[in-house]
Amino acid sequence: MLLFGSKSLGMSSLQRTSLFDLHRALGGKIVPFAGWEMPVQFAGVRAESLAVRGGCGLFDVGHMGQLDARGEGVTSALNAIVSSDWSSVRVGRAAYALLLNLSGGVHDDIMGYRLGEDHWLIVVNASRAASDEAWMRHLLPSSVSLRNRYENQAMIAVQGPRAEEILQPLCALDLSQMTLRDVVQTEVLGQQATVARGGYTGSDGFEWMGDAATAPLVWQVLLDGGATPCGLGARDVLRLEAGLPLYGHELGEGWTPDESGVSFAVKPAKGDFMGREALLARRAGSETKQTIRGLKMLGRAIPREGYAVLQGGTQIGAVTSGTLSPALDVGLALAMLPADLPVESVVDVAIRGALHPAQIVATPFVPRTTKTRASSS
Amino acid sequence: MNTPTELLYTPSDEWVRDNGDGTFSIGITDYAQHELGEIVYVELPEVGQSVAADGTFGVVESVKAVGELHSPLSGQVVEVNAAPVQTPELVNQSPFENGWLIKVRPAETPDLSGLMNAQDYAAYRAS
């Protein structure tokens, strides 16, 4: 047996969110993750992910880095760093973007929430927070103040079809008026907070961002309202079912956004930004030959990260993330594979020396039920 | 944590039962099934295959984790329990009884002196 290695690793130097004691009291299994002690599961990954698809799940995502950028010219200054066009993002809206390195690879994927004309909240992967902050500090002009919220940050994702119903009683604001990527500074339980509609599960939901001291009460009231506590295990399963990439798996320094399947987040026409020239040079040099594809197993074996993918006995790529999907009850994977493999092609995944057939399928595997403007009208 | 006294235990959380007829049954412990969580996939060898002491003979998987199965002894697989392959959660529900995994017949009397008794295993996992 090879199990979660939490016992063997010294966790003394790791950080904890303000929800840590609540997680332990609820029986959460705590593991080290990107410098933090985080719950990987509570009742079980399957039960938790199904709760999100059919009801409402709560995720502590307070480990993610929060950077507050404000000052005159902050939008154009950030726009000269990130890959997507943040100058076109209106106040009260959020946008996904990449930080590219100087060879056109992906240093991180981030969310920017435009809170005011000259005010952004930027949420970044925990493992990249320090370097993202250093890059931005180096590149932003002195008119912009960049402050990390690490000492006081908290973030709770409320996800699933019942998220609006369960979060609404805590809020002064009418959540039904919000659609995907809307963000509002408001009060939740009488405390200052930022609320956004969105998440990382493919289901409808919200993100609450506020002070560390407020988070335990918000968490507890949402649990009392009927939400299910969920760990990072379920979060990973849900994002995979939704076909969403994860840094360190589908995204990395060595792969371009085209290879990682996130070219939609790159807008070279907007003007210069970090990594733009290198990416354009790489695009001019060759067509994208490999990209992240969806795989659905045809048998019961479960694909895992690193497993080779073969066609006609020759390796053509490898799995970047894999799991059993509780929603579909079948093994699913994202894999770096030839871009020209047609959908419905059958390939083999090498699992412990045996070949198991799988089909190339379009993603998301599980249809997204986010509340977009089109779906809510 | 349930730890039946008539069994022997590996440090990698398998148990062995001496069936008294020259065969030994192997499964995973209550501790292991609990740590792994809901088991969703079980892969076992075929009858007739050989297993080696400390070698891997299959996996039990949860949604997020793969647990490799290590054989406590060398021998030939003489019986495979199809029930947990069909219904993996049986290993969670009954790790020592209905959720047993394989029966092995060693060529000669196996050396089980490296295994733990129930008391030592319980202490090992409580530490």
Side-chain angles (χ1 to χ4, degrees), chain A residues 1-4 6-7 29 40-41 44-47 49 232-234 236-237 300-304 307 322-326 351-352 356, chain B residues 12-14 28 31-38 40-41 43 59-70 85-88 125 127:
Chain A
M1 298 282 303
L2 174 68
L3 299 169
F4 302 113
S6 56
K7 274 197 172 173
K29 186 191 290 282
V40 67
Q41 65 172 60
V45 174
R46 177 199 280 268
S49 47
L232 295 179
D236 190 40
V237 165
R300 291 181 65 189
I302 303 170
R304 304 289 183 185
Y307 290 180
T323 187
L324 177 89
S325 162
I351 303 179
R352 292 175 290 278
H356 294 261
Chain B
S12 49
D13 303 299
E14 291 86 10
I28 68 166
Y31 172 88
Q33 71 78 18
H34 185 261
E35 282 295 297
L36 198 54
E38 187 178 4
V40 296
Y41 181 71
E43 190 173 283
V59 294
V60 288
E61 300 190 33
S62 66
V63 171
K64 286 293 297 167
V66 180
E68 286 193 336
L69 298 164
H70 296 272
V85 176
Q86 284 306 311
T87 313
R125 274 311 175 197
S127 61

Side-chain angles (χ1 to χ4, degrees), chain A residues 117-322:
Chain A
E117 188 60 33
D118 292 318
H119 184 193
W120 288 76
L121 177 63
I122 304 161
V123 175
V124 306
N125 281 300
S127 62
R128 306 309 257 181
S131 62
D132 288 357
E133 182 187 351
W135 284 29
M136 287 189 197
R137 221 171 264 296
H138 179 69
L139 293 166
L140 289 170
S142 56
S143 61
V144 172
S145 91
L146 184 72
R147 188 169 58 86
N148 75 53
R149 301 191 68 248
Y150 307 153
E151 294 306 314
N152 188 36
Q153 68 185 26
M155 183 167 177
I156 297 171
V158 191
Q159 300 286 297
R162 291 189 62 212
E164 182 181 313
E165 170 200 333
I166 288 174
L167 181 60
Q168 181 63 72
L170 289 67
C171 301
L173 132 114
D174 180 359
L175 297 177
S176 71
Q177 297 304 304
M178 295 179 76
T179 56
L180 183 67
R181 304 255 180 279
D182 282 347
V183 59
V184 184
Q185 285 186 287
T186 181
E187 287 195 350
V188 174
L189 291 176
Q191 302 292 317
Q192 180 65 40
T194 300
V195 173
R197 193 156 202 153
Y200 188 50
T201 61
S203 287
D204 184 24
F206 297 85
E207 295 163 322
W208 171 93
M209 288 158 275
D211 290 339
T214 312
L217 184 62
V218 172
W219 179 269
Q220 192 58 53
V221 172
L222 291 169
L223 285 184
D224 293 345
T228 300
C230 299
L232 295 179
R235 183 172 157 85
D236 190 40
V237 165
L238 291 158
R239 68 92 192 168
L240 211 166
E241 287 181 341
L244 297 167
L246 175 63
Y247 194 83
H249 298 262
E250 288 71 41
L251 299 161
E253 301 275 3
W255 286 333
T256 67
D258 308 331
E259 291 175 305
S260 292
V262 290
S263 54
F264 65 88
V266 183
K267 303 291 182 203
K270 74 171 184 171
D272 198 22
F273 58 89
M274 198 167 58
R276 177 178 180 273
E277 278 182 34
L279 177 61
L280 292 182
R282 280 171 79 163
R283 283 180 171 177
S286 66
E287 304 232 333
T288 300
K289 292 190 170 62
Q290 59 173 3
T291 192
I292 293 292
R293 308 294 300 272
L295 280 181
K296 181 184 278 192
M297 300 304 293
L298 297 175
R300 291 181 65 189
I302 303 170
R304 304 289 183 185
E305 182 177 3
Y307 290 180
V309 180
L310 299 88
Q311 193 177 39
T314 303
Q315 183 169 354
I316 55 169
V319 171
T320 52
S321 298

